[in-house]
Amino acid sequence: MAIRVLLVDDQPLLRTGFRMILEAEPDLAVVGEAGDGQQALDQVRALQPDVVLMDIRMPRMDGVEATRQITGPDRSGPAKVLVLTTFDLDEYVVEALRAGASGFLLKDAPAAELVQAIRVVAAGEAMLAPSITRRLLDKYAGRLPSGEESVPQPLHALTEREVEVLKLVARGLSNAEIAAELFVSETTVKTHVGHVLTKLALRDRVQAAVYAYESGLVRPGAN
């Protein structure tokens, strides 16, 4: 079955461009469009898309609040949110990730990257671009813990290996890369990642990465 995509952007020309790119792919189907966050909520309820391409800055309701409502506890469907931003240091991107977005992508990304990002998010994975994520977290280092605070209680629930895996997730490594780093199988890594998400009550790898920085487990700019 084709992946059902909802386009959310306040610029009709951009929506048209995205539609042309996505409809050229046999496994993708654009089921609707919205020009602001409120319309996006209405369309998600009516159309039940698999993936929402979500702009950040829009009238009436911005993409952060729309993302929070689409992915929150009262969600009415399975939609995943892939945030689109014009600037790779958009100050709202971190908030969107906290709100439940499964990743973010620059609007000027190559068409092939956009298509692949949608497939990755639809499959339940997170679109975690290490270079952009690290730059975002470095930029907002002043908002993050200094490292002098005590370790958050939830981290004590993790095993030593799970903490290692969380640190590598925060660096943007894939399961295969983590497996190579720790000399274990990808299946073992998937198990560890699952345990981390469950124990910390996190939705996906993106939120795990943000949590690792916010908790002080990983410091911006550190290897």
Side-chain angles (χ1 to χ4, degrees):
M1 295 179 61
I3 298 169
R4 297 165 56 82
V5 183
L6 174 67
L7 305 178
V8 184
D9 196 294
D10 63 343
Q11 299 183 49
L13 187 59
L14 281 177
R15 297 201 305 269
T16 298
F18 291 140
R19 178 181 283 275
M20 291 176 64
I21 291 171
L22 301 184
E23 290 188 338
E25 302 296 323
D27 61 332
L28 303 180
V30 177
V31 295
E33 299 182 14
D36 60 54
Q38 186 58 58
Q39 288 182 6
L41 296 181
D42 295 339
Q43 293 284 56
V44 166
R45 296 187 189 100
L47 302 174
Q48 296 291 298
D50 300 306
V51 177
V52 179
L53 286 186
M54 180 73 75
D55 189 19
I56 289 288
R57 304 181 186 186
M58 297 180 293
R60 289 216 296 168
M61 180 186 292
D62 65 25
V64 174
E65 180 57 30
T67 295
R68 184 176 291 112
Q69 294 195 34
I70 290 171
T71 64
D74 297 326
R75 61 190 301 176
S76 59
K80 305 289 197 310
V81 175
L82 178 61
V83 170
L84 292 167
T85 177
T86 305
F87 307 104
D88 59 352
L89 292 180
D90 191 323
E91 65 185 38
Y92 296 104
V93 171
V94 168
E95 294 303 319
L97 297 179
R98 289 194 185 107
S102 293
F104 59 91
L105 195 67
L106 299 183
K107 287 185 179 179
D108 62 357
E113 187 173 336
L114 171 62
V115 170
Q116 180 60 20
I118 291 172
R119 290 171 178 153
V120 168
V121 169
E125 296 294 328
M127 191 63 191
L128 186 60
S131 60
I132 301 176
T133 301
R134 292 292 296 277
R135 287 169 64 189
L136 272 167
L137 292 168
D138 286 350
K139 178 178 176 65
Y140 296 104
R143 300 183 182 180
L144 303 178
S146 65
E148 299 175 357
E149 295 85 353
S150 59
V151 175
Q153 187 62 35
L155 283 176
H156 293 300
L158 303 184
T159 66
E160 183 176 342
R161 179 63 88 183
E162 288 165 356
V163 170
E164 285 183 287
V165 169
L166 177 56
K167 289 179 178 179
L168 296 175
V169 167
R171 284 171 47 191
L173 273 64
S174 66
N175 285 348
E177 291 168 333
I178 294 174
E181 182 90 7
L182 300 180
F183 302 102
V184 297
S185 69
E186 282 191 59
T187 300
T188 298
V189 172
K190 289 180 181 179
T191 299
H192 287 316
V193 171
H195 289 166
V196 169
L197 297 181
T198 298
K199 290 180 179 180
L200 299 182
L202 300 171
R203 185 169 178 270
D204 55 30
R205 298 167 74 97
V206 172
Q207 290 194 339
V210 173
Y211 181 91
Y213 281 87
E214 289 185 320
S215 68
L217 179 65
V218 176
R219 299 303 307 149
N223 292 324

